[in-house]
């Protein structure tokens, strides 16, 4: 099963140093039945992009909680054995769409790719991280800022490029 693990650049640097994304339980995003129903598509590529987007929003939440982290969203795509990830027990809660809990350790060596914002997204991502709480509260102007960050496509990086991504973090 392909899962998308939200991180920050400091989190990716730590994973590179230790060789693990985490020992579990670990929150990730995947193509779940609820995500399929919400997205209304049978195209696996589109569904995986939706799961990646959910993980990017979770990465933004991590940035909002860590004011010292570089303002770039990070998502690691990793393959885990079937049965290692289970959906949360939150029913149709929109914030839980695609969310899974990975119960075991996740080795960075199992990563398929890393998705990271380009440098030019940092300003919009910083504004979105600062506005996230207000957006969650229903503020339309704050939601606009969050959507602006979402307009930036995450870039794809091979796992061999991780040392360059975390250099100096």
């Amino acid at each position: 099963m392909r899962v998308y693990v939200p991180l920050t650049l400091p989190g990716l640097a730590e994973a590179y140093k230790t060789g693990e994304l985490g020992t579990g339980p670990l929150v990730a995003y995947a193509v779940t039945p609820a995500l399929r129903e919400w997205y209304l598509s049978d195209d696996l590529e589109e569904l995986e992009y939706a799961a990646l987007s959910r993980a990017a929003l979770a990465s933004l939440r991590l940035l909002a909680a860590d004011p010292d982290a570089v303002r770039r969203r990070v998502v690691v795509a990793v393959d885990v054995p079937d049965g290692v990830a289970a959906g949360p027990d939150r029913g149709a809660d929109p914030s839980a769409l695609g969310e899974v809990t990975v119960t075991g350790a996740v080795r960075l060596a199992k990563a398929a790719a890393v998705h990271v914002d380009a440098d030019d997204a940092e300003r919009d991502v910083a504004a979105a991280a600062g506005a996230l709480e207000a957006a969650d509260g229903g503020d339309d102007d704050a939601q606009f800022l969050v959507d602006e960050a979402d307009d930036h496509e995450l870039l794809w990086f091979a796992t061999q490029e991780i040392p360059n991504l975390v250099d100096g973090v």
Side-chain angles (χ1 to χ4, degrees):
M1 166 186 255
R2 168 88 27 112
V3 298
Y4 299 90
V5 180
L7 291 176
T8 60
L9 280 173
L12 182 61
E14 182 65 19
Y16 180 67
K17 185 171 79 175
T18 65
E20 285 188 343
L21 293 173
T23 57
L26 189 65
V27 173
Y29 293 81
V31 177
T32 62
L35 184 72
R36 282 181 188 276
E37 186 176 322
W38 171 75
Y39 199 75
L40 297 173
S41 174
D42 290 330
D43 185 316
L44 184 58
E45 199 169 298
E46 287 181 22
L47 290 165
E48 286 183 342
Y49 182 78
L52 171 67
S53 296
R54 302 294 294 177
L57 178 59
S59 176
L60 184 64
R61 292 186 185 289
L62 294 173
L63 290 172
D66 184 358
D68 295 329
V70 177
R71 296 334 224 183
R72 293 169 71 191
R73 298 166 298 166
V74 177
V75 176
V76 178
V78 62
D79 295 318
V80 298
D82 289 341
V84 171
D89 190 16
R90 294 196 283 163
D93 178 356
S95 68
L97 287 170
E99 186 178 311
V100 295
T101 301
V102 180
T103 55
V106 179
R107 305 267 320 137
L108 186 58
K110 297 292 184 182
V114 179
H115 304 271
V116 182
D117 276 311
D119 293 341
D120 67 353
E122 286 185 30
R123 195 174 108 230
D124 287 340
V125 171
L132 196 55
E133 187 175 340
D136 287 344
D139 183 316
D140 290 337
D141 292 333
Q143 185 61 52
F144 178 79
L145 293 174
V146 172
D147 292 342
E148 287 284 303
D150 199 36
D151 286 344
H152 291 274
E153 294 288 331
L154 296 178
L155 303 177
W156 181 95
F157 293 91
T159 56
Q160 298 87 336
E161 297 177 273
I162 292 174
N164 296 332
L165 289 170
V166 300
D167 186 40
V169 173

